[in-house]
Amino acid sequence: MTPNSITIIGETHKKPEAIEYFQSLITSYLQQSKCLTIALEIASSQQSLLDGMTEGQAMATDIKIAPAIDHLPFRGLLKKLTGIRKHNDCLKLIAIDAELELKTNRDEWMAIKLAEQIGQAPILALLGSLHTLKKVHWNPAIVEKEPYVAEILVARGFNVKSYPQVWQDRACNLKARLISSDEPDASKLLNTKLFALLNASKPETGTDIIDGIVLWKCS
């Protein structure tokens, strides 16, 4: 993570290890005594409550989180981050999602909120893995969908690094492995884990779509 950059870590919602991995990245980076901006998939309207948690005027249970994302480890992450923020002015925590009631394009909204934070402190965001895709060739037989967050930001010239997390195994002692986007396994995982969910052409390589994949598999 470097100044004027945005790193997006993708997740399958409600996976505890995804939260642990994200938190480990934050901890490692802050040990270098550098500033960091953390962006989360929480409605921007909740920003005042996030700030209130830092000041001891709100609790994690007060934060409104979409049911598809909400789980105890995620709220635990909020507690830990706001706790760190109390003693570290170099850490910033922002809520970047759109309210579902607004019926607006969530990816466009989140891209705008991320772009507003560009500066000396790099941005580290935790979003659903589909939001990490920098390019999608939609099936021309259907109406083309709007681009995801990463693609919007790249098109506007921002320095974006994206790393979706995917799971190969389920009930076992999971261990993470980072796979570079130019490895053959990257395109295979993209096709079976992410593009299988989309009505779009399957990529032959992952190099222009993501920067790497965090694969969770049995250790």
Side-chain angles (χ1 to χ4, degrees):
M1 292 180 281
T2 57
N4 302 299
S5 71
I6 302 170
T7 300
I8 304 175
I9 304 298
E11 68 158 344
T12 295
H13 298 310
K14 300 188 177 182
K15 294 280 191 181
E17 53 271 17
I19 301 298
E20 293 170 8
Y21 181 78
F22 187 71
Q23 186 174 315
S24 71
L25 296 177
I26 297 169
T27 301
S28 297
Y29 188 83
L30 292 179
Q31 287 174 348
Q32 304 175 48
S33 299
K34 295 181 179 179
C35 294
L36 182 64
T37 297
I38 305 298
L40 297 174
E41 205 168 346
I42 298 173
S44 301
S45 62
Q46 303 298 295
Q47 186 65 53
S48 61
L49 287 173
L50 278 181
D51 296 338
M53 284 183 65
T54 300
E55 299 162 3
Q57 298 175 355
M59 300 174 63
T61 51
D62 297 327
I63 308 294
K64 180 181 177 183
I65 302 173
I69 299 172
D70 191 12
H71 64 132
L72 286 177
F74 191 89
R75 289 190 183 268
L77 175 67
L78 295 183
K79 290 181 182 179
K80 289 177 181 177
L81 291 179
T82 52
I84 294 172
R85 177 71 180 85
K86 289 179 183 179
H87 309 288
N88 188 343
D89 292 338
C90 228
L91 179 67
K92 188 173 185 180
L93 184 60
I94 58 171
I96 63 166
D97 205 353
E99 287 278 6
L100 294 178
E101 293 83 357
L102 294 179
K103 299 187 184 303
T104 189
N105 183 312
R106 292 179 58 231
D107 285 270
E108 176 69 25
W109 181 285
M110 289 192 283
I112 290 172
K113 293 300 179 182
L114 287 169
E116 289 175 350
Q117 299 296 325
I118 287 290
Q120 190 64 26
I123 300 169
L124 179 64
L126 180 66
L127 306 176
S129 282
L130 289 177
H131 298 297
T132 68
L133 301 179
K134 296 181 180 182
K135 183 180 293 185
V136 177
H137 294 293
W138 296 100
N139 185 333
I142 64 170
V143 176
E144 186 167 327
K145 292 192 175 183
E146 297 292 335
Y148 291 113
V149 176
E151 184 172 356
I152 294 170
L153 291 167
V154 169
R156 294 175 185 175
F158 293 104
N159 178 12
V160 179
K161 304 293 183 184
S162 63
Y163 300 87
Q165 297 178 77
V166 300
W167 280 256
Q168 189 175 71
D169 304 300
R170 294 181 181 274
C172 63
N173 184 21
L174 292 170
K175 184 177 181 180
R177 173 194 165 203
L178 180 60
I179 299 173
S180 175
S181 61
D182 58 3
E183 294 183 44
D185 281 351
S187 57
K188 292 178 183 177
L189 288 167
L190 274 174
N191 289 331
T192 57
K193 300 296 185 178
L194 295 180
F195 276 78
L197 306 173
L198 306 175
N199 194 345
S201 301
K202 292 184 177 180
E204 295 181 2
T205 176
T207 52
D208 58 348
I209 300 172
I210 42 107
D211 292 275
I213 289 179
V214 178
L215 173 64
W216 289 93
K217 59 186 298 186
C218 291
S219 57

